[in-house]
């Protein structure tokens, strides 16, 4: 006899955590999404996508770690909204290359600059980075995610994640070596 | 002063993370301020109701209903499978990764592919003499299953509609003839296993994927060609999965890296937890069966064939620990079989460290 059957598996603790996260953050996520997309339907879609995205990363989220969790969810939401905007092509989303053009720093040794800068110098410098660079700095250095984990979270390739991180570090080094910071 | 390993950057990033979070409004102040559309509310309810992945179970035609179960949540394991593939073919709208005795089949999803079943598809052509059984169609589901039974001949035909996922179907391709064909313009794969004289047809319309399994090629193809949005015209009887055996499994990933599965099996039914992780020769898998009563068969399974088996009588007063030793490098399933006629449930804790899940 041929028989085929499909079933679903459920993890009660994960479901509970998802509901808690949704109940706490849905207003904020909607607010961010609506602010970026200016459309109720698109904002709801982005919110849905945001929670789908964090489904795969629940183990890294805690209801109690409020600012860490909040940063995670906000980054996910903003990335999703940026993807929507890119698809719409209604606004000029600044490309990574264009951000690079603004760096103009003949820095070959950003590692050395970063490693010799103080915490407060870098804290200030990160504030002045482009949003995508701020986000990847958080994911890499505050959350200690691997390149592969970052790629999965941002839905980009691992090589794109590494490239974005490299650009973020160059931008950071450029800020640190300029007079803009300190 | 020069530091190692970006420690200052890590500290600065952690400080900035808090600034970043604080730069947004307090989430608690924004709760309950928005009224969402019905569509959105329903969609989120679905997510909370059933957010996990599908277990695909395909029976073979052995005497007992041996079920292959794929933990599709483990997308990482799919990646590992790809690296081990003996042959890899990207064909049409699906990817078939072929191993010696089985294959992984994955259909490509599109932007239009729903996250949950939103519309019921069904064959409009049903061969004469077949009764139609089906689960209740629920639009919060990831899958829908129907069974066509000819009581006179005992022949069965199975049909399933599922969402498109990144996870693979494990299909038996040992000594099979595989035919690439078109179903109403959509790419499909027809697998014929001569040993069982069975046909398994897989295809996708870009929204969902479909499977039809039966013993007659022309019937399977004709039914597939007739699959369309269901118009409600058929006399469909409820499908009692327990009559053929079923399994219910839930699992938890524990903080210490172990995985706890809670398994319920109806009488004389067995499952295989397939493609969990690749193992090395000599690896030991410790399986803890919770307190209970009944007979359980447990062992290793590889590519639809048992590699080892143990007959365990559960103890009502204490847990039973079974050690399975991996004989050769490779990917193994863990085989659990209910050896009694009564339903049985038990807890299985796997202490193999699931590092790829971290």
């Amino acid at each position: 006899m041929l028989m085929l059957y499909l079933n679903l598996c459920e993890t009660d603790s994960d479901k509970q955590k998802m509901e808690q996260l949704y109940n706490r953050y849905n207003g904020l996520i909607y607010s961010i999404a609506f602010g970026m997309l200016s459309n109720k339907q698109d904002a709801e879609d982005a919110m849905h996508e945001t929670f789908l995205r964090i489904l795969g990363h629940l183990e890294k989220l805690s209801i109690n770690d409020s600012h860490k969790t909040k940063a995670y969810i906000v980054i996910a939401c903003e990335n999703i909204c940026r993807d929507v905007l890119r698809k719409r092509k209604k606004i000029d989303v600044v490309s990574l290359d264009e951000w690079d053009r603004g760096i103009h720093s003949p820095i070959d040794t950003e590692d050395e600059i970063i490693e010799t800068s103080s915490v407060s110098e870098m804290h200030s410098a990160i504030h002045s980075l482009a949003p995508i660079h701020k986000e990847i700095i958080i994911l890499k250095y505050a959350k200690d995610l691997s390149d592969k984990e970052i790629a999965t979270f941002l839905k980009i390739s691992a090589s794109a994640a590494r490239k974005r991180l490299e650009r973020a570090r160059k931008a950071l080094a450029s800020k640190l070596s300029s007079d803009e910071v300190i | 002063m020069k530091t190692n390993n970006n420690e200052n950057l890590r500290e600065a990033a952690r400080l900035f993370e808090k600034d970043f979070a604080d730069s947004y409004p307090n989430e608690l102040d924004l709760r309950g301020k928005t009224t969402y559309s019905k569509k959105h509310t329903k969609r989120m309810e679905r997510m909370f109701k059933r957010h996990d992945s599908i277990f695909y179970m395909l029976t073979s035609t052995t005497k007992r209903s041996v079920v292959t179960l794929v933990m599709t949540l483990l997308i990482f394991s799919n990646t590992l499978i790809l690296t081990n593939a003996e042959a890899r073919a990207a064909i049409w709208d699906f990817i078939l990764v072929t191993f010696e005795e089985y294959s992984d089949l994955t259909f490509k999803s599109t932007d239009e592919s729903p996250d949950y079943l939103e519309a019921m598809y069904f064959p409009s052509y049903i061969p004469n003499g077949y009764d139609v059984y089906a689960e209740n169609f629920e639009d919060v589901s990831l899958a829908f299953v129907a069974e066509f039974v000819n009581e006179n001949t005992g022949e069965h035909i199975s049909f399933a509609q599922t969402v498109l996922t990144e996870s693979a179907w494990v299909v038996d391709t040992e000594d099979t003839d595989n035919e690439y064909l078109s179903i109403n313009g959509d790419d499909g794969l027809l697998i014929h296993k001569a040993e069982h004289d069975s046909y398994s047809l897989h295809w996708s319309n870009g929204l969902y994927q479909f499977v039809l399994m039966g013993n007659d090629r022309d019937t399977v193809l004709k039914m597939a060609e007739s699959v369309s949005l269901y118009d409600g015209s058929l006399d469909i009887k409820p499908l009692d999965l327990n009559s053929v055996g079923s399994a219910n499994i839930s699992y938890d990933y524990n903080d210490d890296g172990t995985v706890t599965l809670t398994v319920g099996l109806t009488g004389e039914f067995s499952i295989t937890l397939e493609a969990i992780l690749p193992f090395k020769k000599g690896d030991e898998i410790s399986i803890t069966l919770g307190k209970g009563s009944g007979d359980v068969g447990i062992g290793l399974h590889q590519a639809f064939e048992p590699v080892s088996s143990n007959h365990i009588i559960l103890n009502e007063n204490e847990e039973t620990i079974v050690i399975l030793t991996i004989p050769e490098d490779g990917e193994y399933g863990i085989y659990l079989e209910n050896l009694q006629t009564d339903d049985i449930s038990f807890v299985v804790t796997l202490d193999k460290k699931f590092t790829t899940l971290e």
Side-chain angles (χ1 to χ4, degrees):
Chain A
M1 181 181 69
L2 287 170
M3 170 62 194
L4 178 152
Y5 178 52
L6 303 98
N7 199 357
L8 297 161
C9 58
E10 296 177 344
T11 311
D12 288 342
S13 59
D14 284 354
K15 281 199 302 185
Q16 191 178 12
K17 187 190 276 189
M18 271 301 289
E19 290 205 56
Q20 287 174 332
L21 289 171
Y22 181 76
N23 289 337
R24 179 166 184 142
Y25 290 102
N26 74 80
L28 174 65
I29 295 305
Y30 181 80
S31 158
I32 292 170
F34 189 80
M36 292 180 72
L37 303 174
S38 305
N39 176 290
K40 182 179 173 69
Q41 175 66 52
D42 287 350
E44 288 183 347
D45 288 346
M47 176 155 62
H48 180 244
E49 180 65 27
T50 299
F51 282 94
L52 279 177
R53 184 83 59 94
I54 65 175
L55 258 179
H57 303 263
L58 275 182
E59 75 282 1
K60 300 186 192 311
L61 303 176
S62 165
I63 302 296
N64 301 323
D65 262 342
S66 61
H67 80 266
K68 291 180 185 295
T69 297
K70 184 176 178 180
Y72 223 107
I73 293 175
V74 167
I75 290 171
C77 177
E78 291 190 336
N79 270 273
I80 288 161
C81 291
R82 274 190 218 113
D83 287 342
V84 173
L85 293 171
R86 283 192 192 97
K87 285 178 184 172
R88 278 191 201 164
K89 294 181 179 174
K90 284 184 179 174
I91 72 161
D92 182 19
V93 178
V94 179
S95 73
L96 290 172
D97 289 341
E98 285 168 330
W99 278 109
D100 278 355
R101 270 182 235 134
I103 294 172
H104 286 312
S105 173
I107 294 171
D108 295 321
T109 57
E110 70 265 14
D111 288 349
E112 188 173 347
I113 292 172
I114 288 171
E115 288 180 12
T116 54
S117 296
S118 69
V119 171
S120 63
E121 288 168 341
M122 280 193 283
H123 183 199
S124 300
I126 294 169
H127 270 278
S128 59
L129 294 179
I132 56 170
H133 292 158
K134 287 175 180 172
E135 290 167 1
I136 203 161
I137 292 279
I138 289 175
L139 295 174
K140 180 70 180 180
Y141 297 108
K143 300 195 174 300
D144 285 327
L145 298 190
S146 68
D147 293 347
K148 184 178 176 183
E149 288 172 322
I150 291 171
T152 304
F153 186 68
L154 298 179
K155 283 207 168 178
I156 57 178
S157 68
S159 61
R162 281 192 293 275
K163 196 73 184 169
R164 190 176 294 185
L165 183 65
E166 183 185 321
R167 286 168 167 152
R169 285 178 61 92
K170 281 192 176 180
L172 178 64
S174 176
K175 297 288 181 189
L176 288 165
S177 63
S178 73
D179 291 330
E180 294 174 36
V181 182
I182 306 170
Chain B
M1 180 180 169
K2 188 165 182 172
T3 60
N4 293 323
N5 302 321
N6 298 304
E7 262 321 302
N8 282 357
L9 177 53
R10 288 180 204 283
E11 180 60 28
R14 284 190 282 266
L15 289 171
F16 175 73
E17 181 185 28
K18 185 167 189 322
D19 297 342
F20 177 82
D22 290 344
S23 70
Y24 291 86
N26 187 327
E27 65 274 12
L28 300 178
D29 295 338
L30 295 170
R31 289 196 304 183
K33 298 266 175 83
T34 308
T35 303
Y36 301 117
S37 67
K38 283 184 182 175
K39 178 188 172 190
H40 173 77
T41 304
K42 189 174 180 182
R43 190 164 50 174
M44 297 309 294
E45 284 172 356
R46 289 171 182 164
M47 184 188 291
F48 300 137
K49 186 172 181 182
R50 292 179 172 176
H51 70 250
D52 300 289
S53 302
I54 302 171
F55 281 121
Y56 292 111
M57 299 189 235
L58 293 168
T59 62
S60 72
T61 52
T62 53
K63 290 177 184 174
R64 300 174 78 92
S65 296
V66 179
V67 175
T68 297
L69 181 151
V70 183
M71 297 184 72
T72 59
L73 184 71
L74 307 185
I75 294 169
F76 293 110
S77 71
N78 289 347
T79 307
L80 293 168
I81 287 171
L82 284 172
T83 61
N84 293 334
E86 292 184 356
R88 187 181 306 182
I91 302 165
W92 302 355
D93 289 335
F94 53 83
I95 297 171
L96 185 70
V97 183
T98 304
F99 300 85
E100 188 174 347
E101 295 170 316
Y102 66 99
S103 297
D104 282 348
L105 177 64
T106 312
F107 282 91
K108 298 169 187 171
S109 59
T110 66
D111 289 343
E112 286 75 39
S113 307
D115 298 322
Y116 298 86
L117 298 185
E118 292 180 350
M120 175 177 164
Y121 284 74
F122 213 75
S124 59
Y125 167 71
I126 313 292
N128 287 335
Y130 278 78
D131 294 327
V132 182
Y133 298 84
E135 293 182 300
N136 281 331
F137 182 85
E138 293 183 70
D139 64 0
V140 293
S141 296
L142 303 178
F144 167 73
V145 177
E147 186 84 355
F148 308 91
V149 182
N150 187 323
E151 297 293 352
N152 294 325
T153 64
E155 288 181 306
H156 285 238
I157 300 168
S158 300
F159 170 73
Q161 172 192 351
T162 79
V163 294
L164 289 163
T165 75
E166 295 178 47
S167 304
W169 287 83
V170 175
V171 291
D172 182 359
T173 49
E174 183 184 15
D175 298 328
T176 61
D177 297 316
N178 303 337
E179 184 180 345
Y180 303 98
L181 37 70
S182 173
I183 303 296
N184 293 329
D186 296 315
D187 298 339
L189 175 66
L190 181 67
I191 300 168
H192 177 224
K193 192 167 180 75
E195 180 186 352
H196 302 145
D197 196 25
S198 64
Y199 292 86
S200 172
L201 176 60
H202 303 255
W203 79 102
S204 166
N205 64 358
L207 298 173
Y208 305 103
Q209 57 183 320
F210 304 97
V211 184
L212 260 167
M213 301 172 73
N215 295 103
D216 182 76
R217 182 182 187 278
D218 291 343
T219 302
V220 167
L221 288 175
K222 193 170 178 182
M223 289 179 74
E225 295 280 358
S226 76
V227 169
S228 57
L229 280 171
Y230 180 53
D231 60 7
S233 62
L234 292 170
D235 175 21
I236 299 179
K237 300 170 184 173
L239 179 61
D240 180 10
L241 293 163
N242 288 332
S243 66
V244 291
S246 66
N248 292 304
I249 297 179
S250 62
Y251 60 87
D252 281 301
Y253 297 109
N254 306 318
D255 291 340
D256 63 358
T258 64
V259 176
T260 299
L261 300 153
T262 303
V263 181
L265 301 176
T266 60
E268 295 192 0
F269 202 66
S270 58
I271 57 169
T272 303
L273 311 179
E274 193 78 52
I276 290 177
L277 272 183
F279 294 94
K280 292 283 185 191
K281 180 180 180 179
D283 277 356
E284 289 189 342
I285 307 169
S286 172
I287 298 177
T288 305
L289 298 169
K291 298 172 188 175
S293 62
D295 293 9
V296 177
I298 189 164
L300 294 171
H301 207 264
Q302 190 174 39
F304 298 99
E305 297 296 334
V307 178
S308 66
S309 62
N310 300 272
H311 182 173
I312 306 296
I313 298 175
L314 295 179
N315 190 318
E316 290 189 349
N317 300 315
E318 60 184 22
E319 295 174 335
T320 304
I321 297 174
V322 182
I323 305 291
L324 301 177
T325 304
I326 301 295
E328 299 292 341
D329 292 359
E331 287 168 346
Y332 291 86
I334 296 166
Y335 180 67
L336 300 166
E337 183 177 15
N338 183 0
L339 296 173
Q340 59 188 30
T341 53
D342 297 335
D343 294 355
I344 192 170
S345 64
F346 47 86
V347 173
V348 180
T349 301
L350 308 177
D351 75 352
K352 162 102 181 160
K353 302 303 180 190
F354 284 74
T355 51
T356 55
L357 291 174
E358 291 173 356

